[in-house]
Amino acid sequence: MKIPSYHAVSGTDVSDLAGQVARQHQRVNDRLQKIGKVVAVMSGKGGVGKSYIAAGVALATAERGKNVGVLDADLAGPTTAQLLEARGPLLIDDDGVLPAAGLAGVKVFSTDLLLHDGAPLLWRGEASESFIYRGALANGAVREFLSDVVWGDLDLLVVDLPPGTERLQDLAQLVPDLGGVVAVTIPSEESRRAVARSIQAALDAGLQVLGVVENMSGYRCPGCETTSPLFPGNAGEYLARQFGVPLLEQVPFDPSPNPAVRLSVLSSVMLP
Amino acid sequence: MKFVCLECDQLMQYRERSLPGDGTFGAAFQCPACGRTIAMLANPMETQLVESLGVRIGGRTLQEQPLELLRTQLAGRDDAFVEPGADRLNGAVSWSPEAQERLARVPGFVRGMVKRIYTEYAKEHAIACITPGVMDQARSELGLEGM
């Protein structure tokens, strides 16, 4: 039996799955035409405050008079919408889904706006086999956040990534002109090791690392406003030196409820 | 993917798809030369794998809806979206009581999108009233699993 190869058979592949995927990417590109710059905030470690930093730079940028959006790509652990006080329901018009409006007019899109309070991210379908397709669904969700949300004319779109490097690699393929990444760490040695891996992964992917932000750099007393050490270590300085990038901000831990920090240095680096 | 009739060395033509409602998927292909037909049958895992890419076997005839993948695959909150334009779209199309009842069983998170899809389908086919039969026809033609 002679079985011809795919390319040897002439005629149209009516499914054209590759073409459908290409058109998905084209819709992302079309939406990105109105966005000046896309920058990712990442860390190799959870709990370092990526969303806090993403919200802080978005607010600082908006208060400079720029149009800013935040795309929360941490589908399972979304926090950006709450930090920026953005709420649903989300309006759908002929152009797509309008993002929620947060503090200072920052546009926000997050699964936090799509899920019931406290509900985990749950995909439909056969649970026993879900490990096979969960990654594709997560990538598809981020793709739709980029292509189907009516971001409008933005000077800056900040993408708040989940811990690790998988979504960063997906994002780099969806946004070929990614304007760089910012790595967030806390002072500890454990964080330094994890974040170093993610910075190296970003560099290996050919991405520009704009710099390092050290969060929870110390504890700022709300009473006397002095800052004392919170974690041992100096991961921020170490990483900046190791990778030859600037230490952009050292942000102390502020125990105020839902503090809205403004990261103006980071803002001026992301959007000069 | 391509299906080839080895007897005739011809590319088989896509004919129709089938959604039995049990999570599986079927698509029929026919040889333009000898008329032989085959069916490609996918189990729920295979069907889900293709759906997770946001693509359709046999191609797409319907424009992709906003957040279509997310809304069909995620268990989200019923009041996540507001679609004020949906009423404007409904203008010339009515829904039978049985079709309305069936639509009401669709999860709220995706119901607005489903309503819009069926309404657009009805308008394109000059159908004045959406019935369960129309919904079945649309599901099959458009590959609307789970709707």
Side-chain angles (χ1 to χ4, degrees):
Chain A
M1 183 181 294
K2 184 177 180 299
I3 300 175
S5 72
Y6 179 93
H7 294 293
V9 177
S10 61
T12 306
D13 173 358
V14 69
S15 292
D16 191 23
L17 300 185
Q20 290 186 50
V21 171
R23 283 189 288 281
Q24 290 171 351
H25 284 238
Q26 186 57 51
R27 283 198 295 279
V28 172
N29 289 341
D30 292 344
R31 195 69 76 178
L32 292 178
Q33 294 306 308
K34 290 187 170 186
I35 297 176
K37 197 170 182 184
V38 181
V39 177
V41 177
M42 69 163 192
S43 178
K45 192 177 178 324
V48 300
K50 289 181 296 305
S51 299
Y52 181 75
I53 298 302
V57 70
L59 288 171
T61 308
E63 289 177 359
R64 288 167 56 198
K66 305 293 184 183
N67 294 319
V68 191
V70 178
L71 188 162
D72 188 351
D74 189 348
L75 307 180
T79 48
T80 312
Q82 186 175 353
L83 286 169
L84 289 168
E85 297 180 22
R87 293 181 186 87
L90 300 165
L91 206 64
I92 298 182
D93 69 12
D94 292 337
D95 192 21
V97 183
L98 274 60
L103 294 172
V106 174
K107 296 179 179 180
V108 181
F109 204 84
S110 169
T111 47
D112 198 13
L113 301 167
L114 307 178
L115 301 172
H116 291 286
D117 284 343
L121 185 79
L122 196 63
W123 300 109
R124 299 181 192 283
E126 296 280 332
S128 61
E129 315 283 359
S130 62
F131 73 95
I132 296 170
Y133 51 78
R134 217 181 290 135
L137 285 171
N139 188 26
V142 175
R143 172 182 55 75
E144 288 191 332
F145 282 16
L146 287 166
S147 65
D148 295 356
V149 174
V150 185
W151 294 106
D153 292 301
L154 292 182
D155 297 297
L156 177 69
L157 178 64
V158 179
V159 181
D160 180 15
L161 291 171
T165 57
E166 247 182 66
R167 285 288 88 76
L168 173 65
Q169 289 159 349
D170 294 342
L171 182 68
Q173 292 186 355
L174 290 169
V175 186
D177 293 331
L178 192 63
V181 300
V182 169
V184 181
T185 186
I186 59 174
S188 72
E189 171 65 10
E190 292 76 19
S191 181
R192 182 197 68 74
R193 290 160 57 94
V195 176
R197 290 195 187 93
S198 64
I199 293 176
Q200 188 60 58
L203 293 170
D204 290 346
L207 298 172
Q208 182 186 9
V209 178
L210 299 175
V212 175
V213 171
E214 186 180 84
N215 194 24
M216 298 189 234
S217 247
Y219 174 79
R220 173 177 288 154
C221 173
C224 62
E225 295 193 353
T226 56
T227 300
S228 308
L230 184 61
F231 291 103
N234 61 342
E237 283 180 13
Y238 194 110
L239 288 167
R241 198 168 50 245
Q242 177 182 358
F243 291 99
V245 298
L247 177 58
L248 296 169
E249 303 255 13
Q250 286 179 292
V251 184
F253 177 77
D254 186 337
S256 311
N258 202 23
V261 70
R262 266 59 167 177
L263 299 175
S264 21
V265 171
L266 186 55
S267 170
S268 63
V269 167
M270 281 191 180
L271 199 64
Chain B
M1 61 183 71
K2 294 177 180 175
F3 292 87
V4 176
C5 179
L6 292 178
E7 294 286 336
C8 306
D9 196 21
Q10 291 278 312
L11 180 69
M12 299 186 86
Q13 305 297 311
Y14 167 77
R15 282 290 169 258
E16 63 181 81
R17 75 189 108 211
S18 163
L19 293 169
D22 58 357
T24 67
F25 168 87
F29 295 81
Q30 186 175 41
C31 174
C34 68
R36 180 179 288 118
T37 54
I38 64 147
M40 183 197 81
L41 304 176
N43 63 32
M45 186 203 74
E46 292 161 342
T47 303
Q48 180 65 51
L49 192 57
V50 172
E51 285 184 0
S52 67
L53 298 175
V55 296
R56 296 259 187 270
I57 301 291
R60 297 189 68 96
T61 50
L62 185 70
Q63 189 177 351
E64 202 164 310
Q65 298 292 312
L67 297 185
E68 182 174 305
L69 178 70
L70 203 67
R71 294 170 82 183
T72 53
Q73 301 294 331
L74 183 68
R77 59 189 300 157
D78 290 345
D79 59 350
F81 301 105
V82 173
E83 296 189 63
D87 291 331
R88 171 173 45 83
L89 193 65
N90 279 346
V93 176
S94 64
W95 290 69
S96 74
E98 296 80 12
Q100 287 181 36
E101 201 177 295
R102 189 159 138 179
L103 182 65
R105 292 198 293 270
V106 174
F109 186 64
V110 74
R111 192 179 304 135
M113 184 183 83
V114 170
K115 188 175 183 184
R116 179 186 281 261
I117 288 173
Y118 284 127
T119 305
E120 286 178 359
Y121 176 86
K123 284 191 166 180
E124 278 176 24
H125 291 76
I127 295 170
C129 179
I130 297 173
T131 62
V134 171
M135 296 170 85
D136 287 339
Q137 185 181 324
R139 279 186 71 238
S140 177
E141 280 185 34
L142 304 174
L144 302 175
E145 179 60 49
M147 299 187 205

